[in-house]
Amino acid sequence: MQSAFLLGIACTLSTCKLLYMYSKDVDALLIELSDDAISYAEDEGRVILHYSNNEKLVLIEILDFKQFIAEDIIAELISTS
């Protein structure tokens, strides 16, 4: 079973969307910026950027996330989900 939590931010503007999910099993943070279909991705080392056909950034993956953020912050995020 995969451990994950999902958080979302809703805005009053119809164009504002931000969802993120942390997967403890693979230590990755996924940040979804749009519902657009993903056409291609660019690998920037520990960060993978996913784009739509019109080159709009759709999804950001941060691999080895624990190296980017303090352990106590991850624990707090998991406990509030």
Side-chain angles (χ1 to χ4, degrees), residues 12-77:
T12 56
L13 300 175
S14 63
T15 58
C16 184
K17 176 191 175 193
L18 179 64
L19 292 174
Y20 36 128
M21 183 180 80
Y22 174 72
S23 174
K24 184 177 179 180
D25 295 338
V26 295
D27 189 27
L29 181 71
L30 303 171
I31 305 169
E32 184 178 337
L33 304 171
S34 169
D35 286 330
D36 292 1
I38 295 172
S39 177
Y40 68 97
E42 294 179 358
D43 188 337
E44 303 289 336
R46 291 190 178 128
V47 177
I48 302 171
L49 305 172
H50 299 263
Y51 294 92
S52 67
N53 277 335
N54 62 356
E55 299 182 4
K56 179 180 177 182
L57 185 59
V58 175
L59 179 74
I60 302 169
E61 287 183 70
I62 303 174
L63 308 176
D64 301 321
F65 185 64
K66 289 180 185 175
Q67 294 181 8
F68 286 93
I69 194 164
E71 189 72 34
D72 58 330
I73 294 174
I74 293 175
E76 183 178 334
L77 288 172

